[in-house]
Amino acid sequence: MRYNEIPHFSHPQHKLKFEYTEVPFKCDGCKEVGIGSRYKCSICDYDLHMHCALPSSSITHPFYTKCSFQFLPRPPGNIPRYCNACEKDVTGFVYHCKSCGFDLHPCCAKLPMVLDDGEVKLYLYRKVGASCHRCGRKGRSWSYRSTCKKYNLHVACVKEMLVESWHEIYFGARNGTRKLETRIPSLRGTLQSYHRRSKGKVQKCCEIAGLALQFVISAVLGDPTTLIAGVVGSLISK
């Protein structure tokens, strides 16, 4: 359920208002990248993913049938922890299983098991024996794999692509300012990086992979909607 305005324990000073944006933001809850739907305090520039703003107190996951994940505002203990879905560091909001010690970012915990736009269908797997379309390696993090089994993308690789492409937005690498007008970056080059070793079918292969990638990106960012997927797709094709 979505509310237009909510109070939140992590930001008691003001209520957070729902809004939709194509400008990427960093969630102040889980510390991960987001886009699309969010809850925001405009006064304090405080942002939360939908999944972080309206978390469940506890969840289960089909990949970990013996686990019960509890929502925590910060990682437990004093040792560094990582997300079992994307293998990235956990530094903020987290779903944690006390008995198994597993951790999931809120958006990773809520990744759809199937992404389907009517033409492309991708299934989420805990482990895939095939190579990732982007890095060329097997194993690693959870993956989305196409029905035809030709296209496989690690959730971890999608996150890396976003961090690489959006570095300037957050750190102002060139001019010291945040480029808030920048929207989803062109990822065409990164799509082709793995396939530069092969010749011939590269363009067609990347076109299909690009179609798959746009939906995976949308899901990883916490807002698997057709609108955002379309924005990603239009920029990939440029």
Side-chain angles (χ1 to χ4, degrees):
M1 183 178 293
R2 195 193 82 193
Y3 304 92
N4 289 328
E5 191 175 74
I6 61 168
H8 200 273
F9 71 87
S10 66
H11 191 73
Q13 304 95 313
H14 310 102
K15 287 188 175 182
L16 306 179
K17 292 184 178 181
F18 175 83
E19 68 172 39
Y20 191 88
T21 177
E22 292 178 7
V23 177
F25 62 89
K26 184 174 182 178
C27 176
D28 289 291
C30 67
K31 315 301 181 186
E32 294 290 295
V33 174
I35 201 167
S37 301
R38 66 176 170 184
Y39 279 94
K40 180 179 183 64
C41 174
S42 300
I43 299 172
C44 302
D45 193 25
Y46 188 88
D47 304 290
L48 291 177
H49 287 121
M50 287 279 290
H51 296 316
C52 291
L54 302 169
S56 304
S57 58
S58 65
I59 63 167
T60 57
H61 198 281
F63 288 167
Y64 304 104
T65 55
K66 297 181 180 180
C67 293
S68 176
F69 292 90
Q70 307 299 313
F71 177 81
L72 301 175
R74 63 185 62 84
N78 298 317
I79 60 172
R81 308 195 68 86
Y82 71 94
C83 175
N84 285 86
C86 68
E87 297 190 342
K88 302 303 178 186
D89 291 340
V90 171
T91 58
F93 293 178
V94 63
Y95 283 105
H96 173 73
C97 177
K98 187 176 182 180
S99 60
C100 298
F102 293 153
D103 298 287
L104 296 173
H105 290 125
C107 287
C108 290
K110 300 295 180 70
L111 284 171
M113 298 303 292
V114 182
L115 296 173
D116 183 6
D117 76 328
E119 294 183 12
V120 178
K121 185 174 286 189
L122 299 150
Y123 291 90
L124 185 65
Y125 290 87
R126 183 179 174 185
K127 293 181 180 180
V128 175
S131 299
C132 172
H133 197 88
R134 197 252 175 169
C135 72
R137 289 181 287 171
K138 298 179 181 180
R140 205 181 182 191
S141 76
W142 293 1
S143 300
Y144 273 106
R145 193 177 189 184
S146 62
T147 309
C148 64
K149 298 184 179 181
K150 291 183 179 181
Y151 305 103
N152 173 50
L153 288 162
H154 288 139
V155 171
C157 286
V158 173
K159 284 199 170 186
E160 286 176 2
M161 293 165 71
L162 296 171
V163 170
E164 291 168 4
S165 300
W166 288 341
H167 184 84
E168 290 184 18
I169 297 174
Y170 299 118
F171 302 106
R174 294 183 180 177
N175 57 16
T177 59
R178 298 179 76 190
K179 297 185 177 182
L180 293 180
E181 75 281 5
T182 304
R183 296 190 177 186
I184 300 175
S186 172
L187 300 174
R188 185 177 179 183
T190 54
L191 275 174
Q192 294 175 343
S193 61
Y194 171 52
H195 287 276
R196 285 198 180 113
R197 295 191 299 271
S198 62
K199 295 183 179 180
K201 301 178 182 178
V202 174
Q203 183 175 356
K204 181 62 176 177
C205 184
C206 289
E207 285 176 1
I208 299 174
L211 194 58
L213 176 64
Q214 59 183 280
F215 291 98
V216 178
I217 289 177
S218 301
V220 169
L221 291 176
D223 195 355
T225 64
T226 303
L227 179 58
I228 284 294
V231 175
V232 179
S234 66
L235 284 157
I236 288 174
S237 63
K238 288 182 179 179

